[in-house]
Amino acid sequence: MTAVEEVLACPVCGLALSFQNGTLRCEQAHSFDVAKEGYVNLLRKKLPGDTKEMVIARRAFFDKGYYLPVSELLNSLMLEHLPTTEAGPLYLLDAGCGEGYYLSRLQESLRANHIPLQGLGIDISKDAIRMAARKYPEAFFMVANLKETLPLADQGLAGMLNIFAPRNVAEYARVLKPGAPLLIVIPGPRHLEELRQSLQLLNIEENKQQHVVEQFAGSFDLLATRSLTYELDLRQEEIAQVVMMTPNYWHQSEESRLRMTALHALTTTVDFVYLVLQHK
């Protein structure tokens, strides 16, 4: 665990953090307890994140392999663009890691290619981070807010993932080394379109890809874009899991819930867009 100390920074004062007797502590005596599962909660105030029910649904859905192609393309793109000439471990952050599925599989993939990687995951949901830390002890997980100053040192990261999660351009630029890749995954325009139509779920933001590219243009160059589209045959249980693991969980109407209960099977499209950016 102590290997990650060199890239951590106190969220209160920005000084370096070190592990001391089961806590993370800086020179100004700000301290944060390490939970028994191995994660650290660095939030200064409690904020809402994905609930335990949402996290459990996501874990169950991932465990069935439905998003395995999503993970495999992500791993391939990061392997292609990650600088590997540095000595020692490469530090890579999954910003908005959820319960850790993508970060863990990426870490396994890179290590299989003899790339020494130390994965770090940040999410605002304590339930998600607790679940991630329990299942994936080879990575280091933190409860923190991506919209605030990240608990990381300047230019300490060799790469970053940002998958269906909030984006903080200034902070991502601060913590990434020059030339480091940032791999963003967003929903494409057809993502879950049949399911969204059947249950009257939230729409995908129009021109989302263009908006994200423009958002990062000042600090990052766009190296590549990829699309991944395929169909899923879902049963009632998986339909409920997909709805519960997304923001639709917070916004679903009673009418939509009744429709979902009556929907025993559905074929729907998954549509992902990958943006490979490089820190200038």
Side-chain angles (χ1 to χ4, degrees), residues 7-11 13-15 93 122 145-146 148-158 160 168-178 180 182 216 219-220 279-280:
V7 295
L8 299 182
C10 177
C13 65
L15 293 178
L93 173 69
I122 285 178
N145 187 356
L146 294 179
E148 297 181 349
T149 301
L150 298 180
L152 297 166
D154 294 354
Q155 298 186 3
L157 300 180
M160 187 184 295
N168 186 335
V169 179
E171 278 299 285
Y172 294 178
R174 179 182 68 81
V175 301
L176 282 167
K177 296 180 179 181
L182 165 60
F216 282 86
S219 303
F220 292 82
H279 186 210
K280 294 181 179 179

